[in-house]
Amino acid sequence: MKKRIFSGAQPTGQLHIGNYLGALKNWVALQDEYEAFYCIVNLHAITLPQDPKTLRQKTLDLARIYLAAGVDPQRSTIFIQSDVPEHTELAWVLSCIARMGELERMTQFKDKGKGNAERAGVGLFTYPILMASDILLYQTDLVPVGQDQKQHLELSRDLAERFNRGYGDTFTVPEPYIPKAGASIKSLQDPEKKMSKSDDNANGSIFLLDDPDTVTKKIKRAVTDSGTTIEFDESRPAINNLLTIFQLLTGKSADECTEHFRGKGYGDFKSELAEATVEFLRPFQDRVREFDDEALIGILHPGAEKARTIASDTLGSVYKSMGL
Ligand code: AMP
Ligand code: TRP
């Protein structure tokens, strides 16, 4: 039997090249070898206020992005989190196993709650429990995510192990799959910060739906570090980041990239990076436009049904072992 993967993204903001290179690209690469479940986590999205109409639209738009990136509904199951009520049911059970202290250590809560726990929503605090529930319901072996989700994944593992110890072997303990290159693509405006959907400065991110002019302008304006050579160098985060994007989009090895840009300067490099990005985005954006809402519903409904059969099995054994 094939091993299982589960991953998801939130239908908020605009997806950027960091989401693609850190996560989606690997979802696509892994779907042959694994039985894959890719979820649109709309219940995670409401941990911050969302406009209902926009949320509904963005949920479908995100399904389009999964498909355009190459997630194949013949091989992988794509579904919307709120269509499978077992996610919230298991989240309650896990919240009775989780400890306040372990949630208080989650750095994403500290970031998104802006350090003000008194005013932050309770859902934002318990968000990692819902994420653990997503993963554990499918007896997931592997979870392909970017670096920023590593801590949440460790919590999922801890909860699975604690449950298994207390109530008998019930959950597979999931492993993270965090790529060596691309796990944390940085902002083009500040290479110390990750590229983020919620960044106020849109120039820091290349969005997957940006037009060629916008992409080229953003790359030309990207900050650079001191030094003129175009090579991977730990002490120069800006060029490292830009070269990583180039490397992953072109499929070249690190050595090939360095060789390719030997003797060239930033002007040439940025032009080539802009070209490679536009060449990648053009067919991607064409594919996004191929799926109308009806086609999406035809994928998402059966996806949720398939997901439910597995999720309800797992929840059934959880309830049984707890005496519920
Ligand atoms: P989100 O849309 O925020 O739910 O994120 C979806 C996926 O993209 C998660 O696996 C994140 O870890 C990943 N991701 C988000 N930002 C970045 C980034 N700057 N670099 C690499 N991966 C990222
Ligand atoms: N928390 C993840 C993020 O913000 C999204 C997510 C929710 C997820 N549930 C998941 C990722 C399960 C992997 C597995 O990016």
Side-chain angles (χ1 to χ4, degrees):
M1 231 171 74
K2 280 188 181 175
K3 291 195 166 189
R4 247 184 225 152
I5 21 181
F6 184 98
S7 199
Q10 297 191 56
T12 53
Q14 292 198 60
L15 257 73
H16 49 68
I17 201 102
N19 296 121
Y20 176 75
L21 297 174
L24 277 162
K25 187 171 187 278
N26 298 313
W27 299 6
V28 174
L30 293 165
Q31 66 186 339
D32 267 334
E33 203 185 323
Y34 290 83
E35 184 187 8
F37 291 81
Y38 297 126
C39 186
I40 297 156
V41 295
N42 57 348
L43 294 167
H44 277 94
I46 60 166
T47 53
L48 293 174
Q50 304 295 337
D51 168 62
K53 218 170 131 208
T54 313
L55 179 60
R56 188 164 292 124
Q57 186 58 45
K58 289 219 174 257
T59 301
L60 291 181
D61 288 346
L62 187 54
R64 278 187 189 89
I65 294 216
Y66 286 8
L67 293 163
V71 174
D72 173 6
Q74 303 295 328
R75 284 178 287 170
S76 301
T77 304
I78 307 175
F79 69 102
I80 301 174
Q81 189 182 29
S82 63
D83 284 344
V84 182
E86 285 80 0
H87 288 245
T88 44
E89 292 181 77
L90 180 61
W92 171 256
V93 172
L94 295 177
S95 75
C96 298
I97 307 275
R99 297 175 185 148
M100 294 291 286
E102 56 195 356
L103 291 179
E104 271 160 7
R105 284 194 290 276
M106 297 287 129
T107 56
Q108 191 170 1
F109 172 69
K110 290 181 198 162
D111 292 347
K112 290 201 178 174
K114 302 198 169 71
N116 188 350
E118 202 61 40
R119 301 270 318 152
V122 174
L124 199 59
F125 184 65
T126 56
Y127 168 116
I129 298 179
L130 181 59
M131 175 161 165
S133 163
D134 298 340
I135 297 168
L136 301 184
L137 269 180
Y138 299 91
Q139 306 293 0
T140 302
D141 297 286
L142 199 68
V143 185
V145 281
Q147 178 67 30
D148 60 350
Q149 297 303 315
K150 186 165 188 269
Q151 198 188 28
H152 291 160
L153 228 93
E154 274 157 17
L155 177 75
S156 304
R157 290 172 54 85
D158 289 345
L159 293 178
E161 283 168 356
R162 194 172 306 150
F163 189 98
N164 288 349
R165 266 198 312 276
Y167 300 98
D169 250 346
T170 307
F171 294 122
T172 303
V173 181
E175 296 285 340
Y177 179 97
I178 297 171
K180 274 199 201 72
S184 187
I185 298 292
K186 305 301 182 192
S187 159
L188 301 186
Q189 290 297 315
D190 179 358
E192 303 295 331
K193 282 190 352 202
K194 67 171 183 182
M195 191 177 280
S196 162
K197 285 174 175 174
S198 49
D199 194 338
D200 294 331
N201 184 354
N203 284 326
S205 310
I206 298 172
F207 297 114
L208 294 175
L209 300 179
D210 274 347
D211 63 58
D213 271 358
T214 309
V215 170
T216 307
K217 275 197 202 115
K218 285 180 178 177
I219 291 177
K220 295 262 147 92
R221 286 194 199 131
V223 301
T224 51
D225 3 49
S226 56
T228 53
T229 50
I230 306 301
E231 60 190 341
F232 289 99
D233 177 348
E234 287 298 320
S235 67
R236 293 167 65 207
I239 188 65
N240 252 347
N241 186 47
L242 295 174
L243 260 179
T244 302
I245 297 175
F246 183 83
Q247 181 194 344
L248 293 173
L249 286 179
T250 57
K252 289 189 194 325
S253 70
D255 284 346
E256 282 168 343
C257 291
T258 317
E259 194 51 45
H260 183 78
F261 290 112
R262 197 184 301 284
K264 294 188 187 163
Y266 270 109
D268 287 337
F269 169 64
K270 283 187 165 182
S271 301
E272 285 202 43
L273 176 60
E275 205 175 308
T277 310
V278 168
E279 282 316 306
F280 163 74
L281 290 180
R282 200 192 313 276
F284 174 86
Q285 293 174 0
D286 288 342
R287 286 194 297 276
V288 168
R289 284 186 282 269
E290 273 173 28
F291 301 96
D292 58 27
D293 286 3
E294 210 176 313
L296 294 177
I297 306 290
I299 291 168
L300 294 168
H301 277 181
E305 263 172 48
K306 163 135 192 243
R308 270 203 95 170
T309 56
I310 298 164
S312 63
D313 257 14
T314 306
L315 189 70
S317 17
V318 167
Y319 274 19
K320 191 156 170 246
S321 32
M322 292 187 96
L324 295 169

